[in-house]
RNA sequence: UGGGGCGUAGUCAAGUGGCUAAGACACAUGGUUUUGGUCCAUGCAUUCGCAGGUUCGAAUCCUGCCGCCCCAGCCA
């Protein structure tokens, strides 16, 4: 990349460059100054206690993006310091998600638990230096002694415990000689510090619990603050990115780096986490949705989890585009769901092959078309991509069209099928509606139409204009399938802001179409295939419930629907 | 009301003293169209939370005020 002629021209004018943001600018400046020996090394540090969601995708995108753009490295590190909540099950799931997003940690998969020995040695170091002590206050006492945001705390009676004594107690804590809660190891900083995090924070607590990786080796486990920065230091992380709520932890992060003989000095930078309209992002709330049965699981396509979005048909490319568009900043914000939808449409429009599928079938009989005749018509697979080619679709006397595409009494702007009017059947023929057949209840059950043999392929020698073009499926060739239509999980764009978020669930977030009629080629699709149902939306074959004999499709996103807007306006 | 952050359009977000405040999404209008999709064109902040001040010149600097978020887990 050559330097711009005019230095004031931002580099983002260069199409190959990432849009800039304050983190990127910091890295750029560090590279300029030669900080960290000119290295860029980032990491994504999930706790393996749940599944990743779109907010985590932003965090991965930032960390991985910084590393990949500047020829740096990216680590995946599981922050597994609390054996109570962590499970191996999540480790595999998270790796799958991060890999799917396209972030490559190469051979650098780590666990904070890899550093337990080193962390323990450093804890002893702090004790010897008079910077940490074993405290015998109970949990409640610690809380009480800590003071409040407005009042300073009081020093623990053990604050001046001799180093030798603390060392001995710490060793015995480690060996499991004491019950949980009996002692903690605390940093000796400042009980009157205006930042609560600096009031002699806990470094270790006793937990007689097996760890998913270290087994029964430990009876004490390090706290997040004592673990995170040092793990970054050990791995040579240069820019440790995290979300805004950790800003108050940064002075403590720095304190450990300054007071320990670490091999490297990482720096922490915080950005605003992602919020999205019409959904919730907190692990606790997502867990409630799953556990209380409001969704079918963590991979229910309505969930904002990555495994759900993957199942729904979202692509990593779409998520990356979305992340590029939302930017990186420090202001709390909630992004419009429509931007995510735009991103997935933008990608799928380019790559999804088009097919015809009728979701709510209405029979059309073409009275002047021979009963036993079947013609194969040529259909374009993707008008955005000539290389996608064409396919043959069978056309016959009896067809299914969309119920919405016929109106017995139609408004002026309705240019689909109505009595006496002519429309085009996509890639096939023009038809005119001659007669409407109803049952005893007055329900329309069939349309009798006539076709113009001259219009084969969808145009006529006389060049007459036909305003509406409908998709269709030949009855005798149709494949039946289940189609699941998803809408926002919540009806309120800010479900957390008014009452219990569960009260804002959208009762129509899932509509199941049991008996859609598809053109035969769709019957050949396999799990995970992504397509466009023309005039309907983007769909993918469900990876869980679909079988070759009974296809199940998930709607990823609708197409933009200008007609729906016109109708809504009245 | 201690400390740490943040307020630019409906939503994100550039901008860091000097031409008419980027861009995207959304929205609106028109055009093209064998998907009411895509695509194309146009419009959409006389003003940057508010009020003063400094300056020839302020979203950018100063002062005061207002609002929102985070911190008192032996969670991360």
């Amino acid at each position: 990349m050559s330097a711009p002629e005019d230095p004031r021209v931002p580099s983002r004018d260069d199409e190959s460059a990432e849009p800039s943001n304050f983190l990127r600018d910091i890295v750029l400046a560090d590279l300029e100054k030669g900080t960290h020996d000119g290295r860029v090394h980032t990491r994504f540090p999930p706790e393996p206690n749940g599944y990743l969601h779109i907010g985590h995708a932003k965090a991965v995108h930032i960390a991985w993006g910084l590393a990949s753009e500047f020829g740096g490295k990216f680590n995946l590190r599981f922050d597994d310091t609390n054996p109570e909540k962590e499970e191996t099950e999540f480790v595999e799931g998270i790796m799958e998600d991060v890999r799917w997003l396209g972030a490559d940690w190469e051979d650098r998969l780590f666990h904070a638990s890899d550093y337990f020995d080193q962390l323990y040695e450093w804890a002893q170091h702090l004790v010897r230096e008079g910077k940490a002590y074993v405290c015998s206050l109970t949990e409640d006492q610690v809380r009480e002694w800590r003071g409040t945001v407005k009042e300073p705390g009081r020093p623990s009676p053990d604050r001046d415990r001799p180093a030798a004594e603390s060392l001995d107690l710490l060793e015995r804590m480690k060996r499991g000689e004491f019950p949980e809660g009996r002692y903690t190891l605390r940093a000796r900083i400042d009980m009157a510090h205006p930042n609560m995090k600096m009031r002699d924070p806990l470094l270790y607590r006793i937990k007689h619990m097996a760890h998913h990786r270290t087994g029964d080796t430990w009876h004490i486990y390090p706290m997040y603050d004592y673990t995170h920065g040092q793990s970054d230091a050990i791995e040579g992380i240069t820019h440790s990115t995290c979300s805004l709520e950790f800003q108050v932890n940064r002075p403590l992060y720095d304190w450990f780096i300054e007071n320990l003989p670490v091999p490297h000095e990482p720096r922490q930078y915080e950005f605003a986490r992602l919020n999205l309209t019409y959904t919730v992002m907190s692990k606790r709330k997502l867990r409630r949705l799953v556990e209380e049965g409001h969704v079918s699981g963590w991979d229910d396509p309505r969930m904002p989890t990555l495994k759900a979005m993957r199942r729904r048909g979202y692509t990593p490319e779409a998520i990356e585009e979305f992340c590029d568009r939302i930017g990186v900043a420090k202001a709390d914000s909630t992004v419009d769901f429509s931007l995510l939808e735009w991103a997935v449409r933008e990608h799928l429009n380019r790559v999804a092959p088009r097919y015809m599928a009728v979701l709510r079938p209405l029979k059309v009989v073409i009275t002047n078309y021979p009963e036993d005749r079947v013609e194969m018509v040529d259909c374009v697979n993707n008008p955005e991509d000539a290389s996608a080619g064409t396919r043959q679709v069978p056309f016959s006397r009896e067809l299914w069209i969309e119920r919405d595409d016929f109106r017995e009494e139609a408004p002026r702007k309705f240019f689909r099928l109505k009595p006496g009017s002519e429309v085009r059947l996509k890639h096939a023929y023009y038809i005119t509606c001659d007669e409407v057949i109803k049952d005893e209840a007055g329900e329309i059950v069939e349309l009798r139409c006539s076709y113009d043999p001259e219009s084969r392929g969808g145009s006529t020698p006389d060049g007459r204009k036909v305003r509406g073009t409908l998709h269709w499926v030949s009855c005798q060739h149709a494949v039946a399938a289940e189609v699941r239509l998803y809408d926002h999980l919540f009806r309120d764009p800010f479900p957390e802001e008014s009452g219990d978020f569960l009260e804002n669930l959208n009762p129509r977030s899932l509509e199941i179409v049991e008996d859609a009629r598809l053109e035969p080629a769709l019957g050949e699709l396999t799990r995970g295939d992504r397509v466009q149902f023309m005039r309907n939306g983007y769909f993918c074959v469900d990876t869980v419930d679909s079988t070759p004999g009974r296809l199940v499709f998930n709607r990823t996103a609708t197409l933009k629907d200008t007609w729906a807007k016109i109708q809504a306006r009245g």
Side-chain angles (χ1 to χ4, degrees):
Chain A
M1 185 167 68
S2 59
E5 312 256 318
D6 181 347
R8 288 179 311 169
V9 172
S11 56
R12 64 172 174 277
D13 284 4
D14 182 337
E15 212 165 306
S16 65
E18 293 293 313
S20 203
N21 60 66
F22 78 98
L23 291 176
R24 189 173 177 275
D25 292 343
I26 287 167
V27 171
L28 244 17
D30 283 340
L31 254 18
E32 181 97 1
K33 289 180 294 191
T35 319
H36 307 299
D37 307 317
R39 291 185 307 114
V40 177
H41 199 155
T42 61
R43 101 271 93 111
F44 177 61
E47 182 186 14
N49 71 340
Y51 292 101
L52 264 32
H53 53 62
I54 182 75
H56 294 110
K58 174 181 178 180
V60 170
H61 181 258
I62 289 168
W64 163 248
L66 254 18
S68 57
E69 185 186 359
F70 298 107
K73 291 176 178 171
F74 168 84
N75 295 2
L76 176 61
R77 179 172 75 233
F78 286 100
D79 221 329
D80 55 353
T81 59
N82 187 352
E84 254 174 64
K85 328 205 297 183
E86 294 146 10
E87 294 172 35
T88 314
E89 169 202 351
F90 295 121
V91 171
E92 198 41 58
I94 289 170
M95 289 199 288
E96 189 183 352
D97 288 342
V98 175
R99 213 178 280 126
W100 181 69
L101 288 172
D104 185 5
W105 61 85
E106 300 175 70
D107 59 346
R108 292 177 307 281
L109 168 65
F110 301 118
H111 296 77
S113 54
D114 295 339
Y115 315 130
F116 281 177
D117 286 324
Q118 175 68 79
L119 256 11
Y120 184 75
E121 279 175 38
W122 280 338
Q124 291 174 313
H125 173 86
L126 287 175
V127 173
R128 276 185 238 107
E129 298 278 304
K131 290 170 181 166
Y133 60 95
V134 169
C135 176
S136 61
L137 255 28
T138 64
E139 190 168 349
D140 287 342
Q141 286 172 320
V142 167
R143 192 181 355 267
E144 203 181 321
W145 261 247
R146 186 153 37 213
T148 70
V149 290
K150 285 183 233 174
E151 300 159 43
R154 288 180 281 147
S156 159
D158 300 321
R159 203 165 194 266
D160 294 317
R161 189 192 294 280
E165 201 178 305
S166 280
L167 247 14
D168 176 60
L169 285 171
L170 179 59
E171 187 62 29
R172 291 167 62 194
M173 284 162 67
K174 178 191 174 191
R175 285 201 301 260
E177 291 185 21
F178 306 114
E180 293 189 6
R182 179 71 186 82
Y183 290 112
T184 56
L185 182 71
R186 297 229 259 162
R188 196 167 185 274
I189 304 179
D190 179 0
M191 286 308 292
H193 198 107
N195 181 341
M196 300 287 289
K197 297 284 185 202
M198 299 296 272
R199 319 243 262 228
D200 287 15
L202 272 61
L203 271 42
Y204 276 94
R205 72 287 216 190
I206 297 172
K207 271 186 198 291
H208 299 297
M209 186 170 289
H211 184 277
H212 75 112
R213 297 192 78 242
T214 61
D216 297 322
T217 309
W218 296 85
H219 289 90
I220 55 174
Y221 290 94
M223 301 289 289
Y224 165 82
D225 284 305
Y226 182 63
T227 307
H228 202 91
Q230 285 81 288
S231 300
D232 286 341
I234 291 167
E235 294 176 18
I237 300 303
T238 56
H239 303 264
S240 183
T241 53
C242 63
S243 48
L244 244 33
E245 67 265 30
F246 291 99
Q247 281 178 124
V248 289
N249 300 60
R250 179 158 24 95
L252 185 52
Y253 182 105
D254 292 340
W255 189 89
F256 288 124
I257 296 302
E258 281 163 24
N259 288 282
L260 254 13
V262 294
H264 164 76
E265 296 188 5
R267 297 294 304 270
Q268 173 182 302
Y269 301 95
E270 312 86 11
F271 59 85
R273 63 192 311 161
L274 171 67
N275 295 294
L276 253 193
T277 54
Y278 298 104
T279 191
V280 294
M281 220 68 100
S282 90
K283 264 179 204 169
R284 204 194 108 255
K285 286 178 177 143
L286 294 176
R287 186 172 296 120
R288 273 190 73 186
L289 289 169
V290 173
E291 287 173 357
E292 295 177 22
H294 298 106
V295 295
S296 63
W298 290 98
D299 64 346
D300 184 301
R302 292 167 293 181
M303 293 281 275
T305 52
L306 294 178
K307 56 187 329 188
M309 292 175 68
R310 184 158 63 233
R311 185 176 171 191
R312 171 98 172 239
Y314 277 78
T315 61
E317 290 90 340
I319 290 172
E320 185 179 12
E321 178 72 26
F322 171 73
C323 288
D324 276 337
R325 299 286 170 163
I326 60 178
V328 183
K330 298 180 77 162
D332 294 320
S333 60
T334 302
V335 175
D336 267 351
F337 191 86
S338 61
L339 183 60
L340 219 207
E341 274 197 309
W342 169 83
V344 72
R345 287 190 189 116
E346 201 278 326
H347 184 223
L348 261 17
N349 177 51
R350 287 185 279 124
V351 301
R354 275 63 167 168
Y355 290 95
M356 294 192 285
V358 174
L359 266 27
R360 297 174 183 85
L362 171 61
K363 183 177 272 188
V364 165
V365 176
I366 302 173
T367 52
N368 60 339
Y369 195 88
E371 288 197 27
D372 53 359
R373 184 140 132 213
V374 174
E375 282 180 81
M376 299 304 284
V377 300
D378 221 21
C379 296
V380 172
N381 286 328
N382 186 347
E384 304 297 315
D385 177 11
S387 72
T390 60
R391 69 185 183 289
Q392 300 285 302
V393 179
F395 181 90
S396 64
R397 188 170 195 262
E398 299 194 349
L399 309 169
W400 297 116
I401 65 164
E402 212 70 64
R403 290 200 92 89
D404 280 355
D405 284 339
F406 177 78
R407 285 272 195 97
E408 198 169 13
E409 284 171 46
R412 185 157 302 283
K413 286 183 174 172
F414 183 87
F415 38 82
R416 275 116 99 139
L417 195 60
K418 52 195 169 192
S421 85
E422 184 173 55
V423 295
R424 171 168 37 233
L425 294 178
K426 181 78 179 178
H427 296 308
Y429 289 104
Y430 291 179
I431 59 169
T432 301
C433 177
D434 305 316
E435 190 184 352
V436 180
I437 314 282
K438 298 179 182 176
D439 61 14
E440 313 80 58
E443 177 109 356
I444 298 172
V445 292
E446 184 182 309
L447 264 23
R448 314 286 289 187
C449 302
S450 49
Y451 86 116
D452 175 0
E454 297 272 83
S455 65
R456 191 173 203 278
S459 60
T460 52
D462 65 10
R464 68 178 186 273
K465 295 293 179 199
V466 171
R467 198 68 200 278
T469 301
L470 274 40
H471 59 281
W472 50 273
V473 171
S474 165
C475 293
Q476 61 170 300
H477 303 92
V479 174
E482 175 176 329
V483 178
R484 299 173 180 173
L485 307 175
Y486 298 103
D487 196 358
H488 298 138
L489 224 200
F490 294 90
R491 55 186 163 194
D492 189 311
F494 301 93
E496 288 147 300
E497 282 185 9
S498 51
D500 183 358
F501 75 107
L502 292 174
E503 287 168 15
N504 292 318
L505 278 164
N506 176 5
R508 285 186 287 275
S509 60
L510 169 59
E511 181 188 347
I512 297 176
V513 173
E514 302 278 2
D515 202 13
R517 309 301 168 91
L518 324 179
E519 66 164 270
L522 285 167
E524 308 302 312
L525 261 37
T526 57
R527 291 179 168 191
D529 285 349
R530 286 182 277 251
V531 299
Q532 182 193 106
F533 286 176
M534 283 227 277
R535 305 207 305 134
N536 246 314
Y538 296 100
F539 293 78
C540 74
V541 181
D542 190 67
T543 49
V544 177
D545 297 328
S546 194
T547 62
R550 172 68 172 170
L551 253 29
V552 176
F553 286 84
N554 295 317
R555 182 170 69 194
T556 309
T558 60
L559 252 29
K560 269 177 69 181
D561 191 347
T562 305
W563 171 237
K565 268 181 204 167
I566 293 168
Q567 277 184 304
R569 278 201 298 256

